[in-house]
Amino acid sequence: MKRTKGFDGLRCLSIMLVILGHAQIIQPGESGSLRDNISYYYSGGAGVTIFFALSGFLITSLLLRERSTTGSINLKYFFIRRFLRLLPPLIPFYIGIVVFMSLGYIRESYLGLAASVFYVYNFIPKAKLFYSAELAHTWSLAVEEQFYLTWPILLRFFSNAKVYLFAGVVMLLSMLSFFFLKLIPISAGGTSYLLGEVFFTSRWIIPAISPILLGCLAAFVLHYQSASVSAFFTASRSALLVVGLLLLPLLFLGEASVLLPLVFSIGVCAAILWISVNQRSILVRLLEWGPIRYVGLISYGLYVWQGFFVRSGQGFLPKIWLHDMPFNIPLAFLAAIVSYELLEKRVMAYKEKFRVSEVVENAAVCLQKDGGLSEGMLPEVPKSASVLEKV
């Protein structure tokens, strides 16, 4: 699939927001206030929302393209690609966590470690038995993987109408969950609590997947209405609309501020669509500037490793010198660069062998060279994914 310019720049923005938020360089205002809503734009939460929306958009675009090209989605290949993308930085990260826990450099939380390894960290309680500042960021990885366990299956076996119905129901449940899930009364040890006092309810699969799902729906719009989207977002005033949508969270004050991730992701998805159809714009050229793009390329490894060095805040004990400024951020960058250059690039090159649509296109190119096809024509592709695996 042809690379869309500007997206690595968005990844750069996302990861820098996460690092600045975790380093607590900028402090938020009072919850629900206008100052707090403004501070959301330079928070780790905004960074994760951008990551989520972009992830949903890109992965759904690839799946829709594969389905259009082959008539199906090869689920085995999809999960192999996910496995190969996620593990290279995670394996050394988890090894480092175990070593530091055993040495007493960070607090022992082996239950939390197990929850992180098995992608359920978004469901852990706030108790110290589970929570770890070095693992806290893996809640977002858990949300993504829980979503992608079901999303490609839905696209593979269900019609678009049923997928839209699923998305609508989940979005409605997410909006309700942002408000009411935390208020559910529970009892533990004979003491009554609200669910939000015990768990990070905003990180549960519903409502946390709402930005991912909006990114997925943006991919549907661009895939099936590409001409209309291109005409709309190349219009002279479209940029103003995108800015307006990005500023929409400023209106959600007080209790409505719980919807900030959902509302902000609407503007992010509009920005993603605008970038997709304005590839020669000044903004895209800025996002493609070498250093910015490179940080975007290493952003996944950087997200993993900033949790080890920067952690999810600066007040947690125990810690050692590498958790403090000015060492933590440079060390996170160093670990991410080593991970990308020595591990991830090699594994990603191997991962491309499991992209079905690329296999089909390569077969078409070979046939063209052999004179079996007229220029510009694609062969009729079998509908069965099992047949495609033999191409």
Side-chain angles (χ1 to χ4, degrees), residues 45 53 61 91 100 104-105 132 146 192 215 255 303 322 351 381:
S61 296
I91 292 175
F100 269 47
Y105 294 159
S132 166
Q146 289 161 22
S192 297
E255 291 297 324
Y303 183 80
L322 54 74
K351 177 173 72 77
V381 179

Side-chain angles (χ1 to χ4, degrees), residues 26-86:
I26 304 173
Q27 298 296 327
E30 182 181 350
S31 179
S33 66
L34 178 60
R35 180 188 168 191
D36 187 46
N37 284 26
I38 293 173
S39 69
Y40 179 80
Y41 288 97
Y42 45 82
S43 69
V48 171
T49 298
I50 296 171
F51 268 132
F52 276 174
L54 188 58
S55 170
F57 178 82
L58 289 173
I59 288 182
T60 302
S61 296
L62 288 169
L63 291 174
L64 290 175
R65 182 170 181 263
E66 178 181 337
R67 192 175 68 174
S68 296
T69 304
T70 69
S72 184
I73 293 174
N74 189 315
L75 296 176
K76 182 179 78 172
Y77 276 19
F78 173 82
F79 290 117
I80 289 175
R81 292 196 304 271
R82 291 297 296 167
F83 176 84
L84 292 174
R85 181 67 189 101
L86 293 172

Side-chain angles (χ1 to χ4, degrees), residues 363-385:
V365 170
C366 292
L367 285 170
Q368 287 178 6
K369 290 181 178 179
D370 292 338
L373 285 173
S374 299
E375 185 176 357
M377 294 178 61
L378 285 175
E380 183 177 352
V381 179
K383 300 296 183 182
S384 170

Side-chain angles (χ1 to χ4, degrees), residues 101-181:
M101 281 185 180
S102 64
L103 293 174
Y105 294 159
I106 60 178
R107 185 168 52 83
E108 287 189 8
S109 179
Y110 290 108
L111 287 175
L113 177 61
S116 178
V117 169
F118 291 102
Y119 292 103
V120 291
Y121 201 85
N122 57 321
F123 288 114
I124 67 160
K126 298 177 181 180
K128 291 183 178 180
L129 186 64
F130 294 91
Y131 186 82
S132 166
E134 293 78 18
L135 294 169
H137 65 301
T138 62
W139 75 268
S140 62
L141 303 181
V143 169
E144 279 198 300
E145 293 322 297
Q146 289 161 22
F147 178 74
Y148 292 128
L149 281 176
T150 58
W151 184 244
I153 296 174
L154 286 172
L155 297 187
R156 168 66 177 83
F157 292 106
F158 293 91
S159 65
N160 284 352
K162 291 181 179 178
V163 171
Y164 297 149
L165 176 62
F166 167 83
V169 171
V170 170
M171 292 305 299
L172 177 60
L173 290 175
S174 294
M175 286 188 286
L176 294 174
S177 296
F178 274 123
F179 282 107
F180 302 115
L181 189 60

